[in-house]
């Protein structure tokens, strides 16, 4: 359990002290954020704010994870390494997109096909590897069965699993990307979800089927390969995001960019897949889903009827145009996200209690 504490504290410390150093480096090189002219006018003042800040919490998370292993003498696990690899791989795709936008002065960044190809390569690699590396109990990091608070139903087979995993990775990455439109909004929301996954990992470890002989009710155990290590990864992410939020909250001194948003989305999907909570993540990350759906509704309505449902999509900008201040939108959306996490954890516990 100490590794969870160490990972969170180290991640927090590294981003608190490392992010301002990154801000100075990016500002010196002139790597500032491009602001769309068709967005809210209040955002024009943010033009030039250093971006690609996701570098800070990606590196902090990886360093925190491995330092916690060194301090406690515990070896890394395949599940933990796969989630970190998915996060870093998606972050690399986002970094290339940010780099082309800022350094090459191409406002759309990577070509759509190139960006999709990068995400597909990373996602497929994760999905294929996640079905390997069975432990002594036959558990691999991922399962070919669908899951909510645990696996259910029949197996969907490896091919459909890869498709399903890709959908989750792309959906969560784009969800975080769309949410990252106001200072601190995506960072604060992601911190809450990673906190939830820290709790879920600890609970699954305590109720693991690997410890069935010591459980009061073995029928309520969890078939998850490395639940404690997933909690370590989630704790490192929570601490790193929390420290980054100090510099990313309004008025933001740095933005995470696609580097950060794609990485966080990949990490959320990876944790959900490896902890067997694939459908639950849609509730735990409810704000990301809500904001994504606002874009889908807006685009769908305009193409079908020629009318817009919202003044502007994503949803947070709709409320800005209604006169809400940026801070007011962020805090109220954080409250919504907090309620999603509470309900999600409640359902997770209820799923366990129902089996007792």
């Amino acid at each position: 359990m100490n590794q969870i504490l160490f990972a969170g504290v180290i991640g927090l410390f590294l981003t608190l002290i490392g992010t301002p150093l990154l801000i100075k480096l990016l500002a010196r090189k002139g790597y500032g954020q491009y602001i769309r002219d068709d967005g809210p006018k209040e955002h024009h003042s943010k033009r030039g704010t250093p971006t690609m800040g996701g570098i800070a919490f990606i590196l902090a998370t990886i360093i925190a994870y491995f330092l916690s292993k060194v301090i406690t003498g515990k070896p890394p696990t395949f599940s933990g390494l796969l989630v970190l690899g998915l996060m870093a791989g998606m972050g690399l795709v986002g970094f290339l997109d940010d780099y082309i936008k800022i350094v090459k002065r191409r406002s759309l960044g990577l070509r759509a096909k190139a960006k999709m190809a990068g995400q597909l390569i990373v996602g497929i690699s994760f999905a294929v590897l996640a079905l390997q590396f069975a432990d002594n109990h036959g558990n691999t990091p991922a399962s070919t069965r669908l899951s909510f608070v645990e696996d259910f139903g029949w197996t969907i087979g490896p091919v459909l699993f890869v498709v399903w995993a890709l959908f989750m990775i792309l959906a969560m990455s784009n969800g975080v990307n769309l949410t990252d439109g106001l200072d601190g909004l995506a960072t604060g929301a992601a911190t809450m979800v990673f906190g939830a996954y820290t709790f879920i990992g600890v609970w699954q470890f305590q109720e693991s089927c690997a410890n069935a002989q010591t459980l009061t009710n073995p029928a309520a155990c969890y078939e998850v390969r490395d639940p404690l290590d997933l909690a370590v990864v989630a704790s490192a992410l929570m601490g790193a995001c929390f420290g980054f939020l100090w510099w990313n909250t309004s008025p933001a001194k740095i933005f995470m960019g696609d580097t950060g948003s794609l990485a966080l989305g990949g990490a959320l999907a990876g944790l959900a897949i490896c902890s067997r909570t694939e459908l639950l993540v849609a509730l735990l990350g409810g704000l990301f889903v809500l904001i994504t759906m606002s874009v889908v509704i807006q685009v769908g309505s305009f193409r079908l009827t020629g009318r817009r449902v919202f003044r502007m999509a994503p949803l947070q900008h709709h409320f800005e145009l209604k006169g809400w201040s940026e801070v007011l939108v962020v805090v109220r959306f954080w409250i919504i996200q907090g309620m999603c996490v509470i309900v999600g954890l409640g359902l997770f516990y209820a799923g366990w209690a129902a089996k007792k």
Side-chain angles (χ1 to χ4, degrees):
M1 294 294 184
N2 287 339
Q3 38 183 335
I4 297 175
L5 177 62
F6 286 132
V9 171
I10 294 171
L12 172 65
F13 177 76
L14 288 176
T15 48
L16 277 176
I17 65 170
T19 304
L21 300 178
L22 180 62
I23 292 172
K24 292 180 180 178
L25 175 63
L26 294 173
R28 189 181 307 122
K29 291 183 173 294
Y31 292 174
Q33 178 68 37
Y34 168 81
I35 302 296
R36 291 166 45 192
D37 291 330
D38 59 346
K41 295 180 180 179
E42 293 79 5
H43 290 200
H44 292 176
S45 61
K46 300 180 181 183
R47 183 176 281 114
T49 301
T51 188
M52 295 193 290
I55 295 171
F57 55 73
I58 292 172
L59 292 178
T61 298
I62 294 172
I63 293 171
Y65 174 82
F66 284 106
L67 278 182
S68 72
K69 297 298 180 182
V70 172
I71 294 171
T72 60
K74 303 293 184 181
T77 68
F78 286 112
S79 297
L81 293 176
L82 281 171
V83 175
L84 290 176
L86 178 59
M87 174 193 70
M90 294 297 288
L92 177 59
V93 175
F95 172 80
L96 293 174
D97 191 41
D98 287 333
Y99 184 82
I100 292 173
K101 285 179 186 175
I102 297 164
V103 178
K104 301 300 183 181
R105 304 297 179 184
R106 199 166 79 202
S107 61
L108 295 179
L110 277 174
R111 304 294 183 191
K113 291 183 179 179
K115 189 173 184 179
M116 179 59 69
Q119 291 176 304
L120 289 176
I121 291 171
V122 174
I124 291 173
S125 299
F126 167 83
V128 171
L129 291 173
L131 294 178
Q132 313 303 317
F133 313 113
D135 62 10
N136 295 332
H137 302 278
N139 291 320
T140 54
S143 167
T144 55
R145 297 169 65 191
L146 296 178
S147 60
F148 182 53
V149 297
E150 62 179 351
D151 285 343
F152 68 86
W154 296 282
T155 178
I156 60 175
V159 175
L160 285 179
F161 167 76
V162 171
V163 175
W164 170 241
L166 278 174
F167 170 77
M168 286 192 61
I169 293 166
L170 294 175
M172 292 307 302
S173 296
N174 288 322
V176 178
N177 186 257
L178 291 171
T179 304
D180 183 36
L182 301 182
D183 294 354
L185 178 57
T187 308
T191 301
M192 297 182 205
V193 187
F194 291 131
Y197 270 109
T198 303
F199 171 83
I200 287 173
V202 171
W203 188 270
Q204 289 179 333
F205 172 73
Q206 293 176 338
E207 302 293 330
S208 173
C209 293
N211 307 322
Q213 294 180 345
T214 62
L215 299 178
T216 57
N217 183 16
C221 67
Y222 293 96
E223 291 281 2
V224 177
R225 191 192 190 285
D226 305 299
L228 187 62
D229 210 41
L230 293 176
V232 175
V233 174
S235 178
L237 278 160
M238 177 180 64
C241 287
F242 202 47
F244 182 74
L245 184 60
W246 180 272
W247 306 101
N248 182 233
T249 194
S250 183
K253 300 296 188 296
I254 188 171
F255 300 137
M256 69 170 68
D258 282 9
T259 305
S261 60
L262 295 188
L264 292 183
L268 286 172
L271 287 169
I273 292 168
C274 291
S275 65
R276 312 291 206 270
T277 56
E278 295 162 356
L279 298 178
L280 184 65
V281 75
L283 183 54
L284 291 172
L287 181 64
F288 304 127
V289 176
L290 177 66
I291 288 176
T292 301
M293 289 307 300
S294 73
V295 176
V296 173
I297 292 170
Q298 183 84 327
V299 173
S301 175
F302 187 76
R303 287 183 177 178
L304 292 173
T305 68
R307 297 181 179 179
R308 292 180 173 86
V309 176
F310 307 104
R311 295 188 179 184
M312 186 176 181
L315 188 60
Q316 62 268 33
H317 300 317
H318 167 78
F319 288 101
E320 279 192 291
L321 294 180
K322 287 190 66 175
W324 291 19
S325 68
E326 180 175 2
V327 173
L328 181 62
V329 175
V330 170
V331 172
R332 286 182 173 173
F333 275 38
W334 278 351
I335 293 172
I336 293 172
Q337 176 56 48
M339 291 189 292
C340 289
V341 166
I342 291 171
V343 173
L345 288 177
L347 288 175
F348 175 79
Y349 177 78
W352 173 82
K355 297 190 299 181
K356 294 197 67 177

